[in-house]
């Protein structure tokens, strides 16, 4: 009987502390930034709208983009001083400039809904994203972000809720739950301090 136990028992593994537990004591914004950068996101912190516009201009020049997708009237006001063509129909032909619903600290992901994406899937859009977000959009968990959406849009909850959590186009996700989900993007985050 003892022989069978040895053959069929699994060896005990040492329990190691997860890196996320190190982040537990940090402020929410720092947890998000650490996880976002770990996922290969490009992060630009802005304290004024002028900084947002300057960083946006630098991103566009750095990548030699001549046209970008933008369907948000408030964001179009930020772009108007830049020498770039815009199209309000989202497609995969041009980089996409948009806002988001929430920034999720626990895994460094960015949550979108039909308010930003309309009827498009993230995987059908350009591989290049520029996201404008504010520090007030930071939440700790996915659950908090979904609760926030439910509270904010009472009676008119948006559809097409999805997230980007991988910012490296060449990485492969071996997680069975993500099979076929190709939401990886080359993503720049313009984070505006509004608190």
């Amino acid at each position: 009987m003892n022989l069978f136990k040895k053959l069929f028992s699994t060896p005990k593994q040492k329990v190691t502390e997860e890196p996320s537990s190190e982040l537990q004591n940090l402020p929410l914004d720092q947890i998000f930034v650490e996880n976002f950068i770990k996922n290969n996101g490009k992060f630009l912190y802005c304290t004024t709208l002028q900084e947002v516009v300057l960083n946006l201009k630098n991103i566009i020049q750095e990548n030699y983009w001549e046209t970008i997708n933008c369907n948000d009237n408030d964001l179009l006001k930020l772009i108007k001083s830049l020498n770039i063509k815009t199209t309000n129909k989202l497609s995969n032909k041009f980089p996409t400039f948009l806002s988001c619903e929430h920034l999720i600290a626990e895994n460094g992901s960015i949550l979108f809904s039909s308010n930003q994406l309309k009827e498009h899937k993230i995987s059908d859009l350009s591989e290049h994203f520029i996201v404008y977000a504010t520090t007030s959009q930071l939440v700790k968990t996915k659950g908090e972000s979904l609760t926030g959406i439910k509270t904010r849009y009472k009676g008119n909850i948006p559809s097409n809720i999805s997230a980007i959590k991988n910012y490296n186009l060449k990485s492969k996700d071996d997680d069975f739950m993500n099979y076929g989900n190709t939401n990886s993007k080359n993503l720049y985050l313009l984070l505006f301090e509004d608190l």
Side-chain angles (χ1 to χ4, degrees):
M1 189 72 152
N2 202 11
L3 175 65
F4 288 113
K5 279 186 182 177
K6 286 182 182 178
L7 287 175
F8 294 110
S9 67
T10 56
K12 291 183 181 179
Q13 295 177 350
K14 288 185 180 179
V15 177
T16 57
E17 215 172 293
E18 290 187 30
S20 61
S21 63
E22 302 170 355
L23 301 176
Q24 295 289 337
N25 299 327
L26 297 175
L28 195 59
D29 56 347
Q30 196 170 348
I31 294 170
F32 171 78
V33 170
E34 294 279 334
N35 287 324
F36 180 78
I37 291 172
K38 183 174 69 176
N39 294 335
N40 296 313
K42 297 170 190 79
F43 170 76
L44 297 156
Y45 182 79
C46 308
T47 56
T48 66
L49 289 177
Q50 289 79 15
E51 280 185 75
V52 172
V53 173
L54 179 62
N55 285 324
L56 179 60
K57 178 181 178 183
N58 290 338
I59 291 167
I60 291 167
Q61 287 177 345
E62 175 185 308
N63 291 286
Y64 304 103
W65 293 329
E66 296 176 4
T67 305
I68 59 174
N69 294 318
C70 182
N71 62 359
D72 184 314
N73 289 331
D74 292 330
L75 295 181
L76 285 168
K77 292 174 189 173
L78 290 175
I79 311 174
K80 70 180 177 184
S81 65
L82 303 178
N83 186 21
I84 188 150
K85 298 174 192 167
T86 59
T87 176
N88 64 357
K89 294 190 178 196
L90 298 181
S91 73
N92 63 0
K93 292 181 184 176
F94 306 112
T96 303
F97 180 44
L98 45 81
S99 61
C100 65
E101 292 293 342
H102 291 285
L103 305 172
I104 304 171
E106 73 179 347
N107 60 6
S109 65
I110 301 177
L111 189 76
F112 301 94
S113 75
S114 57
N115 291 329
Q116 296 84 34
L117 303 171
K118 305 303 178 209
E119 71 281 356
H120 302 282
K121 292 179 188 175
I122 291 175
S123 58
D124 293 340
L125 296 174
S126 169
E127 62 185 25
H128 304 289
F129 267 45
I130 306 168
V131 176
Y132 170 82
T134 61
T135 51
S136 62
Q137 291 176 286
L138 282 163
V139 294
K140 190 172 186 176
T141 65
K142 291 178 256 183
E144 282 182 32
S145 65
L146 295 174
T147 301
I149 288 175
K150 187 176 178 181
T151 304
R152 183 176 178 195
Y153 301 107
K154 285 183 182 173
N156 193 19
I157 297 174
S159 60
N160 197 13
I161 297 172
S162 53
I164 299 175
K165 72 175 185 178
N166 188 346
Y167 313 108
N168 182 358
L169 295 174
K170 295 177 181 161
S171 73
K172 293 188 180 195
D173 192 350
D174 294 331
D175 184 359
F176 172 74
M177 297 301 287
N178 291 333
Y179 181 75
N181 182 359
T182 55
N183 283 352
S184 297
K185 298 293 176 188
N186 174 33
L187 192 138
Y188 294 87
L189 175 63
L190 300 171
L191 183 60
F192 179 66
E193 173 68 61
D194 69 339
L195 295 173

